[in-house]
Amino acid sequence: MERKNKQTFARLAERFSYGCGDFGCNIIYTAMSAFLLFYYTDYAGVNAAAVGTIMLISRVFDGISDIIMGVIVDRTKSKFGKARPWLLRMCIPFAISGILLFSVPTDWAETPKLVYVFITYNLVSTVIYTAINVPYSALNALMTQDAYERSVLSIFRNLLATAGTLLINTFTLPLVEKFGDNASAWTKTFCVFGVVAVAAFLINFFGTKERVKPVAQENGQVKDVPFKEGVKALFQNKYWIMMTGMLALFFLMYSVNGGATVFYAKDILGSRDLVATINGIFNVVQIAGMFFIAMLVKKLGKRNVFAVGLVLDIVGMLILNFSGGSMTLIVVSSIIRGIGNSCGGATMWAMVSDTIDYGEWKTGYRTEGLVNSACSFGYKIGNGIGSALLGVILEAGGYVGEALVQTPEALFSIKICFVWIPIVVYVIGLVIMKFWNLDKEFDGILAELQARKAGNRK
């Protein structure tokens, strides 16, 4: 009994340690999404349009660096494994780069400031964040091949990612005020967050273990996969193609929908204060739902749980669209969408990990780093397109920020961004899931991989 309790505690500790990685990542990711432009314009005195151009250009560099880092992870050989060494190597540079991001010299002229922004933004986004996030994303597939355990790890990842987001959203502005509410206050604030991020990554590193080894080895050593062969293998992996397309669409949708929330609340529902209600209930329910999704995954499988989540997302969106501003229906919608998103959060990244085993079975190449980096490239492209698409649709609808009353066309453009684009993406997701049979095939694939491994040892 005591041994069983120790094993249970060890499993929980490792799951928590794994989740701490995305807690650390989200400290910078959320800060860049929620506060960086505000800091640049209101505290550092940098032109918003110029910053937007820098961010758009940097997306291209970011996507390329993802692929490069994926190859590096697949070729990493150390006593700690392929992914974990990078968590240890990059955690302190990650914290320092985050501090530099919020340390624009305010007494510099406009052009030197923009040069500083370009260098530090790309240092964080293109180099440091990629060098720690791509290995972290690959870690799930390296820790276990158990399909259920991968889902549980994904649940802990999403729980702690959300906790990291809440930390930044809750404490950033109060800390800035406490440190003097000026440009240097932001630097001090991210010194604090940097220490927290380093601690999270150290827990992630010391609390996890890589156990999965590729079948194909030479003289007992893992063989490097040539880049050309690795990419070719990706496009022979139908399930990887499905998930990459899904991620690109979903992050496009998240970008459009998230950016349109304040417009929908203000101009459709009648009060921008409803943003807090819509997002607050949604996030709380999503976190609570995570604790129950594992049981559903065990019973129904990842594909079916993901599909149920998509249906709930569609229902929740339709209720909100036809709520007429009713607070009761807004709350009901947020609850339903929160449950739907918890289904997706618990399964999506575990499904990506499952495509790695399918790819190894299909092609003979196991490329955790390349699979996850190529997925990352796909969803970053989707995110970038989504950010641009929001502005294009609002502009096409004739939205005017200063107007007290928007035209019917402008209101419809807001609904397209907040409601109808997400619904279309959810429907496409359901269609893709119709062709997802990996849950049924997975046990047989693992058995054959184990048989190959046993044969190689003889």
Side-chain angles (χ1 to χ4, degrees):
M1 185 66 180
E2 184 180 345
R3 184 182 176 186
K4 187 175 181 181
N5 288 337
K6 285 183 179 179
Q7 289 175 338
T8 301
F9 177 79
R11 265 200 309 272
L12 283 172
E14 185 171 46
R15 292 165 178 171
F16 174 80
S17 298
Y18 172 73
C20 281
D22 224 16
F23 178 90
C25 286
N26 263 30
I27 286 176
I28 291 298
Y29 183 83
T30 303
M32 291 175 72
S33 302
F35 295 109
L36 189 57
L37 186 59
F38 174 63
Y39 162 75
Y40 281 154
T41 56
D42 286 37
Y43 288 82
V46 182
N47 180 270
V51 170
T53 303
I54 288 171
M55 290 179 173
L56 189 60
I57 293 170
S58 299
R59 286 287 179 191
V60 179
F61 298 145
D62 198 6
I64 295 170
S65 71
D66 278 348
I67 303 297
I68 294 171
M69 192 63 208
V71 174
I72 291 172
V73 169
D74 284 328
R75 299 189 176 197
T76 298
K77 298 179 180 70
S78 85
K79 63 180 181 180
F80 300 122
K82 295 164 70 172
R84 288 173 63 239
W86 293 101
L87 301 173
L88 186 62
R89 292 167 185 168
M90 301 309 299
C91 63
I92 292 176
F94 180 88
I96 293 171
S97 67
I99 295 166
L100 292 174
L101 196 65
F102 288 89
S103 301
V104 178
T106 54
D107 55 346
W108 286 10
E110 179 74 8
T111 300
K113 279 184 187 177
L114 287 173
V115 172
Y116 181 92
V117 168
F118 181 84
I119 292 172
T120 54
Y121 185 84
N122 278 283
L123 175 67
V124 173
S125 181
T126 305
V127 182
I128 306 294
Y129 185 84
T130 295
I132 205 163
N133 187 255
V134 168
Y136 173 72
S137 296
L139 186 57
N140 183 307
L142 289 161
M143 288 171 65
T144 179
Q145 286 181 300
D146 183 275
Y148 172 71
E149 182 62 21
R150 281 180 177 171
S151 296
V152 175
L153 288 171
S154 291
I155 290 169
F156 274 79
R157 173 179 180 169
N158 277 274
L159 276 171
L160 282 137
T162 306
T165 298
L166 287 174
L167 174 80
I168 294 300
N169 286 336
T170 303
F171 292 105
T172 298
L173 294 180
L175 279 174
V176 168
E177 284 191 25
K178 182 177 177 61
F179 288 131
D181 199 20
N182 52 27
S184 66
W186 286 86
T187 306
K188 294 171 186 173
T189 296
F190 279 86
C191 285
V192 174
F193 288 146
V195 172
V196 175
V198 170
F201 284 121
L202 290 176
I203 292 171
N204 186 199
F205 172 78
F206 286 108
T208 58
K209 185 177 180 181
E210 295 184 24
R211 302 176 181 86
V212 179
K213 306 293 181 186
V215 172
Q217 297 190 16
E218 199 170 79
N219 300 322
Q221 296 293 316
V222 177
K223 295 189 293 184
D224 288 336
V225 179
F227 176 71
K228 183 179 178 181
E229 293 301 317
V231 172
K232 183 179 176 182
L234 285 183
F235 287 95
Q236 293 174 339
N237 186 334
K238 61 182 179 181
Y239 293 119
W240 173 82
I241 293 172
M242 290 181 199
M243 283 309 302
T244 301
M246 183 97 73
L247 284 166
L249 282 172
F250 266 67
F251 277 83
L252 180 152
M253 179 268 294
Y254 290 148
S255 183
V256 173
N257 172 264
T261 304
V262 67
F263 301 106
Y264 192 85
K266 178 171 69 76
D267 296 301
I268 305 293
L269 300 178
S271 173
R272 71 177 186 180
D273 293 338
L274 287 173
V275 171
T277 303
I278 294 169
N279 287 342
I281 296 171
F282 174 81
N283 286 330
V284 169
V285 171
Q286 183 177 348
I287 291 171
M290 290 285 183
F291 291 99
F292 302 98
I293 297 301
M295 294 182 289
L296 280 178
V297 170
K298 204 165 194 175
K299 188 173 183 179
L300 302 177
K302 289 191 284 291
R303 184 196 78 158
N304 292 335
V305 170
F306 187 78
V308 167
L310 294 175
V311 172
L312 290 173
D313 285 327
I314 292 170
V315 171
M317 272 298 179
L318 290 173
I319 289 173
L320 184 62
N321 187 61
F322 297 108
S323 67
S326 165
M327 182 58 69
T328 301
L329 291 178
I330 290 171
V331 170
V332 169
S333 165
S334 294
I335 291 171
I336 292 173
R337 291 190 303 117
I339 296 170
N341 249 47
S342 66
C343 291
T347 53
M348 185 179 286
W349 298 112
M351 291 166 78
V352 171
S353 293
D354 289 349
T355 70
I356 294 167
D357 299 294
Y358 175 82
E360 184 180 20
W361 171 80
K362 176 83 174 176
T363 67
Y365 294 123
R366 186 174 186 88
T367 53
E368 291 93 349
L370 191 57
V371 165
N372 280 280
S373 63
C375 282
S376 176
F377 177 77
Y379 72 67
K380 283 178 179 176
I381 293 297
N383 189 277
I385 293 172
S387 298
L389 191 61
L390 173 62
V392 169
I393 293 174
L394 291 179
E395 181 71 24
Y399 181 85
V400 179
E402 297 81 13
L404 294 176
V405 179
Q406 300 294 337
T407 65
E409 292 78 13
L411 295 177
F412 183 63
S413 71
I414 294 170
K415 287 185 178 182
I416 288 175
C417 294
F418 188 79
V419 176
W420 297 112
I421 286 178
I423 287 177
V424 169
V425 169
Y426 296 142
V427 170
I428 293 172
L430 285 172
V431 173
I432 292 174
M433 285 300 99
K434 182 73 176 173
F435 300 95
W436 185 276
N437 297 312
L438 188 52
D439 286 8
K440 296 177 182 177
E441 301 167 358
F442 195 72
D443 288 343
I445 287 170
L446 282 190
E448 187 167 330
L449 287 174
Q450 292 302 320
R452 291 181 195 173
K453 193 175 290 185
N456 288 343
R457 285 197 293 262
K458 290 180 181 179

